[in-house]
Amino acid sequence: MQDAYSFDLEKHEVTEAVLERMKAYYQTQSVIKHFLGKRYATAGADFFVETTLFFIKLFLQKQGGHLQAYSEKQIMARRGAIRPDISIWENNEVVAIIECKTQLGWNRHGWENDLINREVKLKNEFPNANCFLLVMTGLNWGGFGEHDKLGIKYFCLLNDIWPNNYENMSQILTPIEKLLKAIIEK
């Protein structure tokens, strides 16, 4: 399967694929919620991590397979070690972690401090590892604005819309392809 697609990091095809999967997920959840008479739709956070991991794994395999991606794997085999949404490993060394959030409305004022603290824990164990944040949408929390780390350490796929309103690549804020580049440039 990994031989079937050639990753062109100058395009936004992977970002579009992630957004289309998320759009389909949220549209389906809306129908299910209505049909079942549920008050809330099932959260998309796990599906977002799974979708992101799927494409990262394919990308890393295409790069030769020397880097491996995992979801919710403790970085150290001991109590209290961090368990990132996605971790990228080269042999027994963590080279990067990616925290994935659908949006940051729940912690709109404390997200950066939380991420910095997580990065400190990461670097205590793996000093050369990178820490990234991937957010699906800036809607509901104001987004990153003109943050100097946007597109470098912080990535937000959509600025001010939810994926079920995604229509075309002109709505993409920071493509996931920039994150893929950052992972392999370690």
Side-chain angles (χ1 to χ4, degrees):
M1 175 167 44
Q2 65 268 20
D3 295 331
Y5 178 72
S6 176
F7 286 83
D8 183 346
L9 300 184
E10 298 307 314
K11 296 182 179 178
H12 298 140
E13 294 171 334
V14 176
T15 303
E16 290 181 88
V18 169
L19 291 171
E20 289 294 342
R21 282 181 52 92
M22 295 309 299
K23 179 178 183 175
Y25 175 83
Y26 283 112
Q27 288 174 339
T28 302
Q29 288 304 310
S30 179
V31 170
I32 290 170
K33 175 185 162 192
H34 178 73
F35 178 73
L36 297 178
K38 293 174 63 177
R39 185 172 178 177
Y40 301 106
T42 303
D46 289 338
F47 190 74
F48 183 50
V49 171
E50 179 182 287
T51 298
T52 302
L53 180 63
F54 175 83
F55 286 103
I56 289 174
K57 285 181 87 64
L58 287 177
F59 173 72
L60 294 177
Q61 287 175 2
K62 193 70 171 183
Q63 298 301 305
H66 67 282
L67 297 177
Q68 299 293 315
Y70 300 95
S71 180
E72 298 187 15
K73 178 179 178 177
Q74 278 185 293
I75 65 166
M76 297 297 290
R78 72 167 179 266
R79 188 179 180 105
I82 63 172
R83 186 183 310 242
D85 289 329
I86 297 173
S87 55
I88 312 296
W89 296 72
E90 185 169 28
N91 300 317
N92 293 325
E93 291 288 316
V94 176
V95 296
I97 65 169
I98 305 163
E99 292 300 331
C100 300
K101 306 295 180 203
T102 54
Q103 47 94 12
L104 293 176
W106 59 273
N107 193 13
R108 70 188 77 219
H109 302 294
W111 65 267
E112 193 165 29
N113 284 334
D114 288 352
L115 191 68
I116 289 168
N117 290 336
R118 200 155 182 81
E119 186 172 21
V120 167
K121 289 179 181 179
L122 170 67
K123 293 211 177 262
N124 282 338
E125 303 295 340
F126 300 98
N128 297 319
N130 291 308
C131 179
F132 300 103
L133 175 63
L134 176 64
V135 183
M136 186 179 65
T137 182
L139 188 67
N140 190 35
W141 61 281
F144 290 109
E146 298 295 321
H147 201 293
D148 62 338
K149 294 180 183 172
L150 182 63
I152 300 167
K153 285 182 64 81
Y154 306 154
F155 301 85
C156 186
L157 300 181
L158 299 169
N159 190 32
D160 58 2
I161 62 167
W162 204 249
N164 50 345
N165 295 320
Y166 172 72
E167 294 177 6
N168 60 60
M169 62 188 231
S170 70
Q171 297 169 306
I172 296 169
L173 180 61
T174 51
I176 200 168
E177 286 81 358
K178 285 186 174 188
L179 174 57
L180 296 176
K181 281 183 193 178
I183 290 169
I184 61 171
E185 290 173 353
K186 57 174 176 82

